[in-house]
Amino acid sequence: MTSTYLMWLLFIAVYDFRQRRVPNWLVLAGAFLAFVALALGTAPIEHSWTAALFGAGIGFGFLLLFYTLGVMGAGDVKFAGALGLWVGLSALLPVWLIASLLASLHAVLWLILQRWPVSSRLSLVLFGPSSSAHGNPQPSRIRFIPYAAYLALAAAVWMVWGRQSS
């Protein structure tokens, strides 16, 4: 199941970097696969059902606060819940810290490039497609940081790092 987990994280990261959204079908597929991995005892990060359910609840609930403040998308919140199933409660905090550090670096780079634009291609990668490209000239919320992508990268890093340290 490790390769399935890593493939799911890759799909989430690529989709969020390119589209700045995480589709429900991808979140649900990951949650379903996490349940299967837990049932078969093949989860890539070993933890109990209780830890998985607490991880899902806390992952979803904590990021829901940021969604209600308007600084995070619903896909990020749902992905955090599904990710909690995969990693469990104990790995959730380190994954959040790594993802938040990466997102902070993204924001700093965004601020720098706002002042000194270097490359339109780099801007497209960092800021996502312009809202006019999707026929929506006035988006209700602008999300230039793909937080789910950074959560996915952080989860992959945590899994690899945790395996080497054990």
Side-chain angles (χ1 to χ4, degrees):
M1 274 296 191
T2 300
S3 59
T4 303
Y5 170 69
L6 290 174
M7 188 64 69
W8 178 65
L9 292 176
L10 177 66
F11 282 141
I12 291 286
V14 168
Y15 209 104
D16 198 26
F17 272 126
R18 296 191 78 197
Q19 303 284 327
R20 292 304 192 267
R21 58 184 292 278
V22 179
N24 288 334
W25 67 266
L26 197 50
V27 172
L28 290 172
F32 174 76
L33 291 170
F35 281 124
V36 169
L38 283 164
L40 297 176
T42 60
I45 298 174
E46 193 173 323
H47 58 283
S48 68
W49 278 92
T50 304
L53 294 174
F54 273 118
I58 293 191
F60 182 85
F62 184 70
L63 293 189
L64 186 61
L65 295 173
F66 292 98
Y67 172 75
T68 59
L69 294 172
V71 297
M72 186 167 290
D76 299 330
V77 176
K78 292 179 273 188
F79 172 66
L83 182 62
L85 288 172
W86 280 103
V87 302
L89 185 58
S90 63
L92 209 49
L93 181 60
V95 167
W96 271 338
L97 291 174
I98 295 166
S100 296
L101 177 63
L102 293 171
S104 298
L105 292 172
H106 182 118
V108 167
L109 189 55
W110 179 80
L111 289 171
I112 291 169
L113 289 176
Q114 288 294 328
R115 187 169 281 238
W116 300 290
V118 177
S119 162
S120 59
R121 188 177 267 312
L122 179 60
S123 294
L124 180 64
V125 168
L126 287 176
F127 312 143
S130 68
S131 57
S132 60
H134 295 294
N136 184 10
Q138 293 289 343
S140 60
R141 294 180 180 171
I142 297 172
R143 290 183 193 90
F144 62 91
I145 297 178
Y147 193 67
Y150 290 126
L151 279 172
L153 292 174
V157 165
W158 182 255
M159 189 195 78
V160 171
W161 180 78
R163 283 183 164 219
Q164 289 179 354
S165 65
S166 33

